[in-house]
PDB file of all heavy atoms in Angstrom:
ATOM      1  N   ALA A   1      22.593  -8.193 -13.334  1.00 93.00           N
ATOM      2  CA  ALA A   1      23.436  -7.533 -14.333  1.00 93.00           C
ATOM      3  C   ALA A   1      24.778  -8.234 -14.490  1.00 93.00           C
ATOM      4  O   ALA A   1      25.333  -8.306 -15.590  1.00 93.00           O
ATOM      5  CB  ALA A   1      23.663  -6.069 -13.946  1.00 93.00           C
ATOM      6  N   LEU A   2      25.318  -8.759 -13.391  1.00 92.00           N
ATOM      7  CA  LEU A   2      26.668  -9.323 -13.391  1.00 92.00           C
ATOM      8  C   LEU A   2      26.694 -10.832 -13.610  1.00 92.00           C
ATOM      9  O   LEU A   2      27.748 -11.386 -13.925  1.00 92.00           O
ATOM     10  CB  LEU A   2      27.363  -8.982 -12.070  1.00 92.00           C
ATOM     11  CG  LEU A   2      27.445  -7.483 -11.735  1.00 92.00           C
ATOM     12  CD1 LEU A   2      27.960  -7.286 -10.319  1.00 92.00           C
ATOM     13  CD2 LEU A   2      28.310  -6.758 -12.743  1.00 92.00           C
ATOM     14  N   GLY A   3      25.554 -11.482 -13.437  1.00 90.00           N
ATOM     15  CA  GLY A   3      25.482 -12.938 -13.576  1.00 90.00           C
ATOM     16  C   GLY A   3      24.979 -13.564 -12.289  1.00 90.00           C
ATOM     17  O   GLY A   3      25.666 -13.505 -11.273  1.00 90.00           O
ATOM     18  N   VAL A   4      23.788 -14.139 -12.339  1.00 92.00           N
ATOM     19  CA  VAL A   4      23.164 -14.664 -11.128  1.00 92.00           C
ATOM     20  C   VAL A   4      24.024 -15.738 -10.472  1.00 92.00           C
ATOM     21  O   VAL A   4      24.135 -15.802  -9.254  1.00 92.00           O
ATOM     22  CB  VAL A   4      21.756 -15.219 -11.450  1.00 92.00           C
ATOM     23  CG1 VAL A   4      21.155 -15.911 -10.234  1.00 92.00           C
ATOM     24  CG2 VAL A   4      20.835 -14.084 -11.922  1.00 92.00           C
ATOM     25  N   MET A   5      24.666 -16.582 -11.272  1.00 90.00           N
ATOM     26  CA  MET A   5      25.485 -17.653 -10.711  1.00 90.00           C
ATOM     27  C   MET A   5      26.979 -17.439 -10.959  1.00 90.00           C
ATOM     28  O   MET A   5      27.755 -18.385 -10.999  1.00 90.00           O
ATOM     29  CB  MET A   5      25.055 -19.002 -11.293  1.00 90.00           C
ATOM     30  CG  MET A   5      23.782 -19.555 -10.674  1.00 90.00           C
ATOM     31  SD  MET A   5      23.936 -19.819  -8.889  1.00 90.00           S
ATOM     32  CE  MET A   5      25.166 -21.111  -8.835  1.00 90.00           C
ATOM     33  N   ASN A   6      27.383 -16.191 -11.110  1.00 92.00           N
ATOM     34  CA  ASN A   6      28.795 -15.868 -11.284  1.00 92.00           C
ATOM     35  C   ASN A   6      29.446 -15.821  -9.897  1.00 92.00           C
ATOM     36  O   ASN A   6      29.239 -14.862  -9.135  1.00 92.00           O
ATOM     37  CB  ASN A   6      28.936 -14.521 -11.997  1.00 92.00           C
ATOM     38  CG  ASN A   6      30.374 -14.198 -12.358  1.00 92.00           C
ATOM     39  OD1 ASN A   6      31.271 -14.294 -11.526  1.00 92.00           O
ATOM     40  ND2 ASN A   6      30.596 -13.807 -13.604  1.00 92.00           N
ATOM     41  N   LEU A   7      30.212 -16.836  -9.563  1.00 93.00           N
ATOM     42  CA  LEU A   7      30.763 -16.953  -8.216  1.00 93.00           C
ATOM     43  C   LEU A   7      31.701 -15.809  -7.865  1.00 93.00           C
ATOM     44  O   LEU A   7      31.785 -15.401  -6.694  1.00 93.00           O
ATOM     45  CB  LEU A   7      31.486 -18.294  -8.064  1.00 93.00           C
ATOM     46  CG  LEU A   7      30.608 -19.547  -8.150  1.00 93.00           C
ATOM     47  CD1 LEU A   7      31.462 -20.800  -7.998  1.00 93.00           C
ATOM     48  CD2 LEU A   7      29.516 -19.516  -7.086  1.00 93.00           C
ATOM     49  N   PHE A   8      32.414 -15.272  -8.864  1.00 94.00           N
ATOM     50  CA  PHE A   8      33.316 -14.153  -8.589  1.00 94.00           C
ATOM     51  C   PHE A   8      32.536 -12.953  -8.074  1.00 94.00           C
ATOM     52  O   PHE A   8      32.916 -12.336  -7.069  1.00 94.00           O
ATOM     53  CB  PHE A   8      34.090 -13.772  -9.849  1.00 94.00           C
ATOM     54  CG  PHE A   8      34.888 -12.500  -9.700  1.00 94.00           C
ATOM     55  CD1 PHE A   8      36.112 -12.513  -9.052  1.00 94.00           C
ATOM     56  CD2 PHE A   8      34.404 -11.287 -10.194  1.00 94.00           C
ATOM     57  CE1 PHE A   8      36.851 -11.344  -8.900  1.00 94.00           C
ATOM     58  CE2 PHE A   8      35.131 -10.115 -10.045  1.00 94.00           C
ATOM     59  CZ  PHE A   8      36.357 -10.144  -9.403  1.00 94.00           C
ATOM     60  N   TRP A   9      31.441 -12.620  -8.753  1.00 95.00           N
ATOM     61  CA  TRP A   9      30.665 -11.452  -8.339  1.00 95.00           C
ATOM     62  C   TRP A   9      29.879 -11.714  -7.062  1.00 95.00           C
ATOM     63  O   TRP A   9      29.692 -10.809  -6.246  1.00 95.00           O
ATOM     64  CB  TRP A   9      29.736 -11.007  -9.466  1.00 95.00           C
ATOM     65  CG  TRP A   9      30.466 -10.346 -10.581  1.00 95.00           C
ATOM     66  CD1 TRP A   9      30.611 -10.787 -11.865  1.00 95.00           C
ATOM     67  CD2 TRP A   9      31.192  -9.106 -10.511  1.00 95.00           C
ATOM     68  NE1 TRP A   9      31.376  -9.912 -12.599  1.00 95.00           N
ATOM     69  CE2 TRP A   9      31.745  -8.868 -11.791  1.00 95.00           C
ATOM     70  CE3 TRP A   9      31.426  -8.172  -9.502  1.00 95.00           C
ATOM     71  CZ2 TRP A   9      32.511  -7.743 -12.071  1.00 95.00           C
ATOM     72  CZ3 TRP A   9      32.194  -7.054  -9.778  1.00 95.00           C
ATOM     73  CH2 TRP A   9      32.728  -6.846 -11.047  1.00 95.00           C
ATOM     74  N   ILE A  10      29.435 -12.941  -6.867  1.00 95.00           N
ATOM     75  CA  ILE A  10      28.758 -13.272  -5.613  1.00 95.00           C
ATOM     76  C   ILE A  10      29.712 -13.053  -4.435  1.00 95.00           C
ATOM     77  O   ILE A  10      29.359 -12.434  -3.427  1.00 95.00           O
ATOM     78  CB  ILE A  10      28.257 -14.731  -5.639  1.00 95.00           C
ATOM     79  CG1 ILE A  10      27.155 -14.897  -6.685  1.00 95.00           C
ATOM     80  CG2 ILE A  10      27.727 -15.143  -4.261  1.00 95.00           C
ATOM     81  CD1 ILE A  10      26.732 -16.337  -6.885  1.00 95.00           C
ATOM     82  N   ALA A  11      30.942 -13.552  -4.572  1.00 96.00           N
ATOM     83  CA  ALA A  11      31.930 -13.389  -3.506  1.00 96.00           C
ATOM     84  C   ALA A  11      32.314 -11.919  -3.330  1.00 96.00           C
ATOM     85  O   ALA A  11      32.464 -11.434  -2.195  1.00 96.00           O
ATOM     86  CB  ALA A  11      33.171 -14.221  -3.815  1.00 96.00           C
ATOM     87  N   SER A  12      32.461 -11.189  -4.443  1.00 96.00           N
ATOM     88  CA  SER A  12      32.840  -9.777  -4.368  1.00 96.00           C
ATOM     89  C   SER A  12      31.780  -8.954  -3.638  1.00 96.00           C
ATOM     90  O   SER A  12      32.104  -8.107  -2.793  1.00 96.00           O
ATOM     91  CB  SER A  12      33.053  -9.220  -5.774  1.00 96.00           C
ATOM     92  OG  SER A  12      34.126  -9.873  -6.427  1.00 96.00           O
ATOM     93  N   LEU A  13      30.517  -9.206  -3.947  1.00 96.00           N
ATOM     94  CA  LEU A  13      29.431  -8.473  -3.284  1.00 96.00           C
ATOM     95  C   LEU A  13      29.343  -8.849  -1.809  1.00 96.00           C
ATOM     96  O   LEU A  13      29.067  -7.990  -0.956  1.00 96.00           O
ATOM     97  CB  LEU A  13      28.108  -8.750  -3.987  1.00 96.00           C
ATOM     98  CG  LEU A  13      27.959  -8.144  -5.388  1.00 96.00           C
ATOM     99  CD1 LEU A  13      26.685  -8.632  -6.057  1.00 96.00           C
ATOM    100  CD2 LEU A  13      27.954  -6.614  -5.316  1.00 96.00           C
ATOM    101  N   ALA A  14      29.593 -10.118  -1.482  1.00 96.00           N
ATOM    102  CA  ALA A  14      29.573 -10.540  -0.078  1.00 96.00           C
ATOM    103  C   ALA A  14      30.671  -9.831   0.714  1.00 96.00           C
ATOM    104  O   ALA A  14      30.454  -9.388   1.852  1.00 96.00           O
ATOM    105  CB  ALA A  14      29.747 -12.056   0.011  1.00 96.00           C
ATOM    106  N   ILE A  15      31.850  -9.707   0.121  1.00 96.00           N
ATOM    107  CA  ILE A  15      32.955  -9.003   0.784  1.00 96.00           C
ATOM    108  C   ILE A  15      32.622  -7.527   0.938  1.00 96.00           C
ATOM    109  O   ILE A  15      32.900  -6.919   1.982  1.00 96.00           O
ATOM    110  CB  ILE A  15      34.257  -9.195  -0.010  1.00 96.00           C
ATOM    111  CG1 ILE A  15      34.701 -10.661   0.047  1.00 96.00           C
ATOM    112  CG2 ILE A  15      35.370  -8.291   0.526  1.00 96.00           C
ATOM    113  CD1 ILE A  15      35.857 -10.990  -0.877  1.00 96.00           C
ATOM    114  N   LEU A  16      32.026  -6.931  -0.077  1.00 96.00           N
ATOM    115  CA  LEU A  16      31.638  -5.522  -0.002  1.00 96.00           C
ATOM    116  C   LEU A  16      30.645  -5.292   1.130  1.00 96.00           C
ATOM    117  O   LEU A  16      30.790  -4.339   1.917  1.00 96.00           O
ATOM    118  CB  LEU A  16      31.027  -5.083  -1.336  1.00 96.00           C
ATOM    119  CG  LEU A  16      30.407  -3.674  -1.355  1.00 96.00           C
ATOM    120  CD1 LEU A  16      31.446  -2.621  -1.006  1.00 96.00           C
ATOM    121  CD2 LEU A  16      29.766  -3.399  -2.712  1.00 96.00           C
ATOM    122  N   VAL A  17      29.631  -6.149   1.234  1.00 96.00           N
ATOM    123  CA  VAL A  17      28.642  -6.025   2.307  1.00 96.00           C
ATOM    124  C   VAL A  17      29.325  -6.115   3.668  1.00 96.00           C
ATOM    125  O   VAL A  17      29.030  -5.332   4.581  1.00 96.00           O
ATOM    126  CB  VAL A  17      27.565  -7.120   2.162  1.00 96.00           C
ATOM    127  CG1 VAL A  17      26.698  -7.200   3.413  1.00 96.00           C
ATOM    128  CG2 VAL A  17      26.698  -6.847   0.940  1.00 96.00           C
ATOM    129  N   LEU A  18      30.254  -7.055   3.812  1.00 95.00           N
ATOM    130  CA  LEU A  18      30.970  -7.219   5.072  1.00 95.00           C
ATOM    131  C   LEU A  18      31.776  -5.975   5.418  1.00 95.00           C
ATOM    132  O   LEU A  18      31.754  -5.498   6.557  1.00 95.00           O
ATOM    133  CB  LEU A  18      31.879  -8.443   4.981  1.00 95.00           C
ATOM    134  CG  LEU A  18      32.668  -8.817   6.239  1.00 95.00           C
ATOM    135  CD1 LEU A  18      31.720  -9.206   7.362  1.00 95.00           C
ATOM    136  CD2 LEU A  18      33.639  -9.957   5.951  1.00 95.00           C
ATOM    137  N   LEU A  19      32.485  -5.428   4.427  1.00 96.00           N
ATOM    138  CA  LEU A  19      33.289  -4.230   4.675  1.00 96.00           C
ATOM    139  C   LEU A  19      32.427  -3.033   5.035  1.00 96.00           C
ATOM    140  O   LEU A  19      32.790  -2.224   5.900  1.00 96.00           O
ATOM    141  CB  LEU A  19      34.133  -3.912   3.430  1.00 96.00           C
ATOM    142  CG  LEU A  19      35.247  -4.908   3.090  1.00 96.00           C
ATOM    143  CD1 LEU A  19      35.930  -4.516   1.789  1.00 96.00           C
ATOM    144  CD2 LEU A  19      36.267  -4.974   4.224  1.00 96.00           C
ATOM    145  N   GLU A  20      31.289  -2.895   4.375  1.00 96.00           N
ATOM    146  CA  GLU A  20      30.391  -1.778   4.691  1.00 96.00           C
ATOM    147  C   GLU A  20      29.925  -1.833   6.144  1.00 96.00           C
ATOM    148  O   GLU A  20      29.814  -0.802   6.807  1.00 96.00           O
ATOM    149  CB  GLU A  20      29.166  -1.817   3.774  1.00 96.00           C
ATOM    150  CG  GLU A  20      29.412  -1.314   2.365  1.00 96.00           C
ATOM    151  CD  GLU A  20      28.135  -1.216   1.560  1.00 96.00           C
ATOM    152  OE1 GLU A  20      27.042  -1.533   2.103  1.00 96.00           O
ATOM    153  OE2 GLU A  20      28.208  -0.822   0.389  1.00 96.00           O
ATOM    154  N   LYS A  21      29.666  -3.034   6.636  1.00 95.00           N
ATOM    155  CA  LYS A  21      29.047  -3.176   7.952  1.00 95.00           C
ATOM    156  C   LYS A  21      30.027  -3.177   9.111  1.00 95.00           C
ATOM    157  O   LYS A  21      29.697  -2.701  10.197  1.00 95.00           O
ATOM    158  CB  LYS A  21      28.224  -4.470   7.994  1.00 95.00           C
ATOM    159  CG  LYS A  21      26.969  -4.427   7.132  1.00 95.00           C
ATOM    160  CD  LYS A  21      26.175  -5.709   7.333  1.00 95.00           C
ATOM    161  CE  LYS A  21      24.902  -5.709   6.528  1.00 95.00           C
ATOM    162  NZ  LYS A  21      24.101  -6.937   6.770  1.00 95.00           N
ATOM    163  N   VAL A  22      31.223  -3.738   8.914  1.00 93.00           N
ATOM    164  CA  VAL A  22      32.100  -3.969  10.066  1.00 93.00           C
ATOM    165  C   VAL A  22      33.307  -3.040  10.138  1.00 93.00           C
ATOM    166  O   VAL A  22      34.048  -3.089  11.120  1.00 93.00           O
ATOM    167  CB  VAL A  22      32.583  -5.434  10.104  1.00 93.00           C
ATOM    168  CG1 VAL A  22      31.405  -6.391  10.105  1.00 93.00           C
ATOM    169  CG2 VAL A  22      33.516  -5.741   8.939  1.00 93.00           C
ATOM    170  N   THR A  23      33.534  -2.221   9.120  1.00 93.00           N
ATOM    171  CA  THR A  23      34.675  -1.318   9.165  1.00 93.00           C
ATOM    172  C   THR A  23      34.221   0.103   9.483  1.00 93.00           C
ATOM    173  O   THR A  23      33.111   0.504   9.118  1.00 93.00           O
ATOM    174  CB  THR A  23      35.432  -1.315   7.818  1.00 93.00           C
ATOM    175  OG1 THR A  23      34.550  -0.848   6.785  1.00 93.00           O
ATOM    176  CG2 THR A  23      35.910  -2.716   7.468  1.00 93.00           C
ATOM    177  N   PRO A  24      35.064   0.879  10.153  1.00 91.00           N
ATOM    178  CA  PRO A  24      34.697   2.261  10.493  1.00 91.00           C
ATOM    179  C   PRO A  24      34.420   3.125   9.259  1.00 91.00           C
ATOM    180  O   PRO A  24      33.660   4.091   9.334  1.00 91.00           O
ATOM    181  CB  PRO A  24      35.933   2.770  11.254  1.00 91.00           C
ATOM    182  CG  PRO A  24      36.601   1.534  11.765  1.00 91.00           C
ATOM    183  CD  PRO A  24      36.371   0.496  10.723  1.00 91.00           C
ATOM    184  N   SER A  25      35.047   2.799   8.147  1.00 94.00           N
ATOM    185  CA  SER A  25      34.864   3.587   6.922  1.00 94.00           C
ATOM    186  C   SER A  25      33.804   2.972   6.004  1.00 94.00           C
ATOM    187  O   SER A  25      33.838   3.176   4.798  1.00 94.00           O
ATOM    188  CB  SER A  25      36.200   3.694   6.178  1.00 94.00           C
ATOM    189  OG  SER A  25      36.744   2.402   5.920  1.00 94.00           O
ATOM    190  N   GLY A  26      32.859   2.244   6.605  1.00 93.00           N
ATOM    191  CA  GLY A  26      31.842   1.561   5.818  1.00 93.00           C
ATOM    192  C   GLY A  26      31.026   2.491   4.936  1.00 93.00           C
ATOM    193  O   GLY A  26      30.738   2.176   3.774  1.00 93.00           O
ATOM    194  N   ARG A  27      30.671   3.645   5.470  1.00 95.00           N
ATOM    195  CA  ARG A  27      29.874   4.595   4.679  1.00 95.00           C
ATOM    196  C   ARG A  27      30.673   5.122   3.500  1.00 95.00           C
ATOM    197  O   ARG A  27      30.146   5.262   2.387  1.00 95.00           O
ATOM    198  CB  ARG A  27      29.422   5.751   5.568  1.00 95.00           C
ATOM    199  CG  ARG A  27      28.473   6.725   4.877  1.00 95.00           C
ATOM    200  CD  ARG A  27      28.008   7.800   5.830  1.00 95.00           C
ATOM    201  NE  ARG A  27      27.103   8.738   5.185  1.00 95.00           N
ATOM    202  CZ  ARG A  27      26.624   9.839   5.761  1.00 95.00           C
ATOM    203  NH1 ARG A  27      26.958  10.121   7.016  1.00 95.00           N
ATOM    204  NH2 ARG A  27      25.821  10.657   5.112  1.00 95.00           N
ATOM    205  N   LEU A  28      31.956   5.417   3.716  1.00 96.00           N
ATOM    206  CA  LEU A  28      32.819   5.888   2.634  1.00 96.00           C
ATOM    207  C   LEU A  28      32.974   4.811   1.570  1.00 96.00           C
ATOM    208  O   LEU A  28      32.934   5.103   0.371  1.00 96.00           O
ATOM    209  CB  LEU A  28      34.185   6.285   3.191  1.00 96.00           C
ATOM    210  CG  LEU A  28      35.239   6.721   2.155  1.00 96.00           C
ATOM    211  CD1 LEU A  28      34.766   7.951   1.395  1.00 96.00           C
ATOM    212  CD2 LEU A  28      36.573   6.995   2.839  1.00 96.00           C
ATOM    213  N   ILE A  29      33.143   3.571   2.010  1.00 96.00           N
ATOM    214  CA  ILE A  29      33.258   2.461   1.060  1.00 96.00           C
ATOM    215  C   ILE A  29      31.991   2.355   0.222  1.00 96.00           C
ATOM    216  O   ILE A  29      32.049   2.194  -1.004  1.00 96.00           O
ATOM    217  CB  ILE A  29      33.527   1.146   1.812  1.00 96.00           C
ATOM    218  CG1 ILE A  29      34.926   1.163   2.441  1.00 96.00           C
ATOM    219  CG2 ILE A  29      33.383  -0.055   0.871  1.00 96.00           C
ATOM    220  CD1 ILE A  29      35.196  -0.019   3.346  1.00 96.00           C
ATOM    221  N   ALA A  30      30.831   2.456   0.879  1.00 96.00           N
ATOM    222  CA  ALA A  30      29.565   2.341   0.163  1.00 96.00           C
ATOM    223  C   ALA A  30      29.436   3.418  -0.911  1.00 96.00           C
ATOM    224  O   ALA A  30      29.031   3.138  -2.049  1.00 96.00           O
ATOM    225  CB  ALA A  30      28.402   2.432   1.153  1.00 96.00           C
ATOM    226  N   ARG A  31      29.800   4.649  -0.566  1.00 96.00           N
ATOM    227  CA  ARG A  31      29.647   5.743  -1.524  1.00 96.00           C
ATOM    228  C   ARG A  31      30.692   5.671  -2.637  1.00 96.00           C
ATOM    229  O   ARG A  31      30.386   5.997  -3.796  1.00 96.00           O
ATOM    230  CB  ARG A  31      29.726   7.080  -0.791  1.00 96.00           C
ATOM    231  CG  ARG A  31      28.547   7.277   0.164  1.00 96.00           C
ATOM    232  CD  ARG A  31      28.403   8.693   0.634  1.00 96.00           C
ATOM    233  NE  ARG A  31      27.108   8.900   1.279  1.00 96.00           N
ATOM    234  CZ  ARG A  31      26.617  10.077   1.613  1.00 96.00           C
ATOM    235  NH1 ARG A  31      27.320  11.171   1.351  1.00 96.00           N
ATOM    236  NH2 ARG A  31      25.434  10.181   2.176  1.00 96.00           N
ATOM    237  N   THR A  32      31.882   5.244  -2.295  1.00 97.00           N
ATOM    238  CA  THR A  32      32.921   5.100  -3.330  1.00 97.00           C
ATOM    239  C   THR A  32      32.519   4.044  -4.344  1.00 97.00           C
ATOM    240  O   THR A  32      32.639   4.243  -5.559  1.00 97.00           O
ATOM    241  CB  THR A  32      34.270   4.732  -2.684  1.00 97.00           C
ATOM    242  OG1 THR A  32      34.639   5.751  -1.745  1.00 97.00           O
ATOM    243  CG2 THR A  32      35.351   4.606  -3.738  1.00 97.00           C
ATOM    244  N   VAL A  33      32.033   2.918  -3.842  1.00 96.00           N
ATOM    245  CA  VAL A  33      31.575   1.852  -4.734  1.00 96.00           C
ATOM    246  C   VAL A  33      30.375   2.327  -5.541  1.00 96.00           C
ATOM    247  O   VAL A  33      30.217   1.973  -6.719  1.00 96.00           O
ATOM    248  CB  VAL A  33      31.231   0.592  -3.921  1.00 96.00           C
ATOM    249  CG1 VAL A  33      30.528  -0.438  -4.790  1.00 96.00           C
ATOM    250  CG2 VAL A  33      32.493  -0.013  -3.317  1.00 96.00           C
ATOM    251  N   GLY A  34      29.527   3.154  -4.918  1.00 97.00           N
ATOM    252  CA  GLY A  34      28.379   3.696  -5.635  1.00 97.00           C
ATOM    253  C   GLY A  34      28.802   4.503  -6.854  1.00 97.00           C
ATOM    254  O   GLY A  34      28.187   4.402  -7.925  1.00 97.00           O
TER     255      GLY A  34
END
């Protein structure tokens, strides 16, 4: 939806995945982004 080779969105999603997994508020982040 955002662009398969759009580097901005690739990096943004990678950061989101990292925050979801390694921060104590990962679940809250996931639902807020949802």
